[in-house]
Amino acid sequence: MVEQEVAEKRTQSTDGGLKSASRTLLRLQRALEFLSLFLLKLVDTDGDSPSTLATTAYDATLSQHHTWLVRKAVRLAFYGMPSNRAMMVKIYGTEEHSEADQLQMRLGLGGLGLAFSLSLSL
């Protein structure tokens, strides 16, 4: 796909028109990396707030691809995230969740991480 887009000169758009599918896939891959890291931290950590966990995951993944202004805006947006309790209700559907629920979440996220790692090697 990349070779075809380079051959067709679709990777360099000066008028903002045609967008590259390769670039879109790269952005999707970066977003999934952030999301999987954030959710793993959320499941594995009980004390930290989701905004702190999101900031940590963002700093490790997406921040290197953003300008200073975007990084500051993202950090500001993270302050509006819900509390741990509200986030767990969204994830598990109830305030109470068992170890089995957490294990299932970890296994699912582990599979997402494996899929992400495999996609990097393609």
Side-chain angles (χ1 to χ4, degrees), residues 4-70:
Q4 181 181 1
E5 288 183 353
V6 169
E8 295 174 2
K9 298 183 183 195
R10 291 194 302 175
T11 57
Q12 302 294 326
S13 176
T14 56
D15 61 354
L18 187 62
K19 299 295 181 194
S20 166
S22 302
R23 189 168 116 188
T24 303
L25 284 175
L26 179 63
R27 288 178 175 173
L28 176 62
Q29 186 178 26
R30 289 173 180 169
L32 288 174
E33 181 183 18
F34 161 74
L35 187 59
S36 65
L37 184 59
F38 168 65
L39 290 174
L40 279 171
K41 289 181 175 296
L42 186 66
V43 170
D44 288 340
T45 307
D46 288 330
D48 290 337
S49 70
S51 63
T52 302
L53 300 174
T55 301
T56 304
Y58 175 78
D59 287 343
T61 57
L62 293 174
S63 69
Q64 60 191 336
H65 307 290
H66 291 155
T67 63
W68 178 86
L69 185 60
V70 171

